[in-house]
């Protein structure tokens, strides 16, 4: 198969590209950086250098392809983030239609069933709605909360001896490792499937109290506590750490959605299948190696 991968060689794109090349597929990786060209080629793939906002570039890249892994970059532009994400999805949709691409796997998220109240995930909701109108076989691959987001908590642990966010220690959080996303994406890209389908990819479901226990044990701090912040405290902490106000506001809203469990509700209520292989205890070792 001729398969196009967007998202460059990030935490998902790199293992996904390596897996598909090893399986004998003709893989092209889209990157906005010319510096990535050699790394892409070293994996045995072709590089297509350009912007995911450029529908003409995307159309040319998609011509003759059998399948596309569609991933919009997170936090696009730093401002107007939801709009920028949605605009990139519109460019993808136009190019998919122009190139008459028949199979698409879109990286989406838990909470993408919601139009609002989910922070940056709202952009993915908008893209799902755009893609639903395409005459193309599409799987919406809704991923859990990335384990690797917890790397951002390392300065808090080192500086204050705590972990925390604006949701409580008792809530159930669907979690995922990027490598498990890559495995699921590879499976879906190679399927012949009709219509529009939703697949959740979740590695584990844990509460923050279980998360801090696993991390604390791994880093030699077994008493590491989880502190629930108010929305104001959470927003203020991020902005003081240098996070732009718009991004901090979106992350605060996402935390609120995790607190009231609306973001996880569709998965926990209607699916509940955990098919990723990398469990919290496995990731805790990776977390400790970064600590």
């Amino acid at each position: 198969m001729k398969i196009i991968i967007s998202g460059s060689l990030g935490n998902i794109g790199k293992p996904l590209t390596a897996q598909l090349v090893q399986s004998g597929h003709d893989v092209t990786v889209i990157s906005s950086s010319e510096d990535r060209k050699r790394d892409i080629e070293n994996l045995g793939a072709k590089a297509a250098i350009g912007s995911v906002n450029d529908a003409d570039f995307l159309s040319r890249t998609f011509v003759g392809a059998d399948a596309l892994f569609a991933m919009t970059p997170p936090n696009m532009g730093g401002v107007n983030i939801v709009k920028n994400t949605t605009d990139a999805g519109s460019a993808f949709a136009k190019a998919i239609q122009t190139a008459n691409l028949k199979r698409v796997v879109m990286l989406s998220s838990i909470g993408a069933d919601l139009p609002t109240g989910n922070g940056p995930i709202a952009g993915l909701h908008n893209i799902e709605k755009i893609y639903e109108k395409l005459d193309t076989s599409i799987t919406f691959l809704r991923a859990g909360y990335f384990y690797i987001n917890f790397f951002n908590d390392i300065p808090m642990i080192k500086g204050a001896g705590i972990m925390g966010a604006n949701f409580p220690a008792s809530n159930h959080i669907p979690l995922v490792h990027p490598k498990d996303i890559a495995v699921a994406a590879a499976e879906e890209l190679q399927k012949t499937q009709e219509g529009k389908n939703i697949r959740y990819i979740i590695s584990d479901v844990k509460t923050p109290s279980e998360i801090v226990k696993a991390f604390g044990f791994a880093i030699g701090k077994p008493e590491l506590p989880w502190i629930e912040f108010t929305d104001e405290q959470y927003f203020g902490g991020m902005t003081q750490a240098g996070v732009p106000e718009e991004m901090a506001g979106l992350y605060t809203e996402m935390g609120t959605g995790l607190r009231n469990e609306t973001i996880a509700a569709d998965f926990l209520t209607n699916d509940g299948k955990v098919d990723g292989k990398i469990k919290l205890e496995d990731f805790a070792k990776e977390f400790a190696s970064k600590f």
Side-chain angles (χ1 to χ4, degrees):
M1 293 176 68
K2 183 177 179 181
I3 300 174
I4 311 296
I5 307 296
S6 61
S8 194
L9 295 183
N11 293 304
I12 300 168
K14 188 173 183 178
L16 176 57
T17 298
Q19 184 176 341
L20 291 171
V21 169
Q22 279 188 338
S23 298
H25 297 290
D26 178 354
V27 180
T28 296
V29 178
I30 295 172
S31 177
S32 61
S33 174
E34 186 72 36
D35 295 340
R36 282 292 199 178
K37 189 171 186 287
R38 180 175 292 182
D39 293 334
I40 291 167
E41 292 172 347
N42 285 343
L43 285 176
K46 301 181 184 73
I49 308 300
S51 170
V52 294
N53 285 312
D54 185 344
D56 291 336
F57 159 72
L58 293 174
S59 298
R60 294 192 300 272
T61 304
F62 295 170
V63 168
D66 299 299
L68 163 71
F69 177 65
M71 174 180 172
T72 52
N75 311 340
M76 288 191 66
V79 294
N80 300 320
I81 292 164
V82 171
K83 180 182 184 300
N84 290 344
T85 303
T86 305
D87 288 348
S90 295
F92 269 102
K94 183 178 177 182
I96 290 164
Q97 198 165 30
T98 301
N100 197 27
L101 197 54
K102 296 301 183 186
R103 178 74 179 135
V104 174
V105 177
M106 175 204 162
L107 181 63
S108 189
S109 172
I110 56 168
D113 55 301
L114 305 172
T116 58
N118 50 5
I121 301 169
L124 298 175
H125 169 86
N126 295 342
I127 296 173
E128 284 197 14
K129 293 303 178 185
I130 292 167
Y131 285 9
E132 282 176 2
K133 299 174 184 176
L134 296 173
D135 185 20
T136 302
S137 166
I138 300 178
T139 293
F140 300 113
L141 191 61
R142 290 183 179 171
Y145 186 87
F146 281 31
Y147 283 129
I148 59 175
N149 288 341
F150 290 115
F151 289 148
N152 296 326
D153 291 323
I154 288 176
M156 188 193 308
I157 298 172
K158 288 185 173 181
I162 62 171
M163 283 183 68
N166 60 335
F167 47 90
S170 57
N171 280 27
H172 289 87
I173 312 294
L175 304 164
V176 73
H177 197 286
K179 290 180 180 177
D180 281 335
I181 297 174
V183 170
E187 292 171 356
E188 294 297 328
L189 286 163
Q190 296 172 86
K191 283 182 181 177
T192 2
Q193 202 162 358
E194 297 300 321
K196 309 297 187 291
N197 304 279
I198 294 169
R199 175 179 174 179
Y200 282 96
I201 175 61
I202 307 296
S203 302
D204 213 342
V205 179
K206 295 292 183 182
T207 64
S209 62
E210 293 170 319
I211 291 166
V212 291
K213 182 178 180 181
F215 290 172
F217 178 80
I219 64 175
K221 295 181 182 293
E223 303 305 317
L224 182 68
W226 178 269
I227 304 299
E228 182 183 357
F229 303 124
T230 65
D231 291 346
E232 293 76 14
Q233 289 170 333
Y234 193 49
F235 177 84
M238 283 189 283
T239 53
Q240 287 173 20
V243 178
E245 284 195 6
E246 181 180 337
M247 180 58 62
L250 288 171
Y251 280 140
T252 300
E253 184 180 272
M254 183 171 71
T256 302
L258 290 169
R259 181 175 70 228
N260 60 31
E261 299 195 319
T262 53
I263 286 178
D266 186 68
F267 168 73
L268 294 173
T269 304
N270 299 316
D271 189 293
K273 183 181 179 185
V274 175
D275 53 5
K277 303 301 181 188
I278 301 172
K279 303 305 175 188
L280 174 63
E281 292 72 21
D282 303 316
F283 177 71
K285 297 171 186 174
E286 186 178 340
F287 184 88
S289 72
K290 299 281 189 182
F291 186 74

